[in-house]
Amino acid sequence: MPKEKELVFGHRNPDTDAVSAAVAYSYLQNQLGFDTEAVALGEPNLETKFVYNHFDAKYPRIISAINGEVKKVMLVDHNEKQQSVPDIDDVQITHVVDHHRIANFETKLPLYYRAEPVGCVSTIIWKMYNENEVKVPAKIAALMASSIISDTLLLKSPTTTDEDRAALKSLAATAGIDYESYGLEMLKAGTNLDSKTTQELIDMDAKSFDMNGNSVRIAQVNTVDIDDTLKREADFVKDIKSESADKGYNLFVLLITNILTSDTTGIIIGDDSAVKTFEEALNTKVSDNKASLPGVVSRKKQVVPPLDAKF
């Protein structure tokens, strides 16, 4: 009896891992007898576009909602409903592979759920290939290696584990790439921000969180020169305030991260109490809407947990 088709996708405003993990997981599941298609919940960002062009890989079909196309889906690199398709409640979630916190998530039926505290969800999927004795195709290995480089900032992020290091080394060998030289080139490609408007930048890699009833939006852009990026500070502030008013965010945090020094400057906009909570959680001071965050590079590990604990 043929399997019912399922869609596989990562979170909205997809980054390299959200898209490539969907591609890798879909291929694995199809080898295991499922009928799946990897799709993306948005256009590729600069870094992801570089990756797919570099390896001549086809970017997945883009969708904004399920719209009754399938009845079942598999999620990678996210579980929180506000980060998924708007009609996620209309379909059955059969599988989740993730490396984030579990929040605002429940299902009516049992499912396969795998979550591990590693730097990149593609690391988990690499382990699943090995466990199922499925060979990773070279092009998919290149996409997965790129995901690990992206999520761990070339293994420099505090989220990096020995498993991420082993996965990247193995996948790079399969893909035939020198991950150190390629990785730096890839990360720098994602920092060419001049062609993007400030509105595009605050939406490019942004996630929404419900923190004890507070609506929190955290966006991140990577750069090699924070001061240069901050030349557009007034436009950032204007667009963030406008979006916060429109969407009802209690707190909007834009993390501007230097990938070479592993430091971040945050633009922090929100209710007075929410801004104060941010200061306490991150042990910093917000002055003229800005906060210095030395050594902070990971939204997932260094910003969301302490902030969520304080709200």
Side-chain angles (χ1 to χ4, degrees):
M1 185 175 179
K3 292 277 188 177
E4 184 178 351
K5 182 180 176 180
E6 301 187 46
L7 297 182
V8 184
F9 49 85
H11 53 75
R12 297 189 205 183
N13 300 319
D15 53 17
T16 301
D17 191 31
V19 177
S20 300
V23 171
Y25 193 55
S26 175
Y27 178 88
L28 173 62
Q29 292 294 67
N30 290 346
Q31 300 309 300
L32 299 178
F34 288 87
D35 177 13
T36 73
E37 177 193 358
V39 293
L41 304 190
E43 297 285 346
N45 62 28
L46 292 172
E47 177 192 277
T48 309
K49 189 174 293 185
F50 169 86
V51 170
Y52 278 72
N53 287 339
H54 187 89
F55 295 109
D56 193 27
K58 184 179 179 182
Y59 191 78
R61 177 168 64 95
I62 298 171
I63 67 168
S64 58
I66 303 297
N67 290 327
E69 181 181 345
V70 295
K71 296 178 180 178
K72 298 179 179 180
V73 299
M74 302 181 184
L75 309 184
V76 297
D77 203 30
H78 76 297
N79 67 81
E80 298 188 51
K81 290 184 178 181
Q82 69 273 17
Q83 297 175 10
S84 201
V85 288
D87 51 355
I88 190 66
D89 286 332
D90 296 339
V91 293
Q92 178 187 349
I93 301 170
T94 64
H95 295 69
V96 176
V97 183
D98 196 12
H99 66 141
H100 296 94
R101 71 175 193 170
I102 301 172
N104 191 26
F105 179 84
E106 62 180 26
T107 61
K108 295 178 180 177
L109 296 170
L111 75 162
Y112 176 92
Y113 198 112
R114 181 156 177 174
E116 297 185 24
V118 294
C120 179
V121 79
S122 285
T123 296
I124 305 171
I125 295 172
W126 169 76
K127 292 170 64 176
M128 297 175 73
Y129 271 85
N130 294 337
E131 292 161 3
N132 288 282
E133 298 182 342
V134 174
K135 183 178 179 181
V136 185
K139 188 171 288 189
I140 290 180
L143 300 179
M144 294 171 74
S146 300
S147 297
I148 298 172
I149 292 166
S150 176
D151 268 19
T152 67
L153 287 179
L154 199 47
L155 304 178
K156 291 195 296 184
S157 169
T159 61
T160 308
T161 67
D162 287 341
E163 290 175 297
D164 296 300
R165 296 182 184 93
L168 179 54
K169 184 176 180 180
S170 172
L171 291 164
T174 300
I177 59 174
D178 177 341
Y179 70 81
E180 291 183 336
S181 59
Y182 161 74
L184 191 57
E185 182 184 7
M186 184 196 99
L187 290 174
K188 284 185 176 179
T191 68
N192 183 15
L193 308 179
D194 292 342
S195 64
K196 297 287 186 181
T197 67
T198 48
Q199 182 63 54
E200 287 173 327
L201 291 175
I202 66 172
D203 288 336
M204 190 167 63
D205 180 12
K207 293 182 179 180
S208 295
F209 301 88
D210 183 332
M211 298 186 180
N212 195 26
N214 294 276
S215 180
V216 178
R217 183 79 161 170
I218 305 177
Q220 186 168 27
V221 295
N222 290 336
T223 183
V224 292
D225 188 338
I226 289 177
D227 290 338
D228 184 61
T229 305
L230 282 174
K231 287 178 181 177
R232 293 196 275 174
E233 179 183 347
D235 290 332
F236 278 125
V237 171
K238 177 184 174 184
D239 289 339
I240 289 171
K241 285 184 175 179
S242 175
E243 186 165 318
S244 293
D246 182 51
K247 300 292 177 62
Y249 299 131
N250 300 100
L251 180 68
F252 195 118
V253 177
L254 172 63
L255 304 170
I256 303 172
T257 300
N258 187 319
I259 62 169
L260 301 180
T261 64
S262 297
D263 292 318
T264 291
T265 293
I267 295 180
I268 320 299
I269 305 291
D271 305 340
D272 289 345
S273 60
V275 172
K276 184 177 180 181
T277 299
F278 179 88
E279 290 180 323
E280 293 173 352
L282 276 297
N283 192 27
T284 188
K285 282 291 180 186
V286 176
S287 178
D288 294 328
N289 301 316
K290 294 195 300 296
S292 177
L293 301 166
V296 171
V297 297
S298 172
R299 168 176 51 198
K300 177 183 69 177
K301 190 168 184 177
Q302 295 174 290
V303 179
V304 172
L307 196 53
D308 191 39
K310 279 291 182 181
F311 270 113

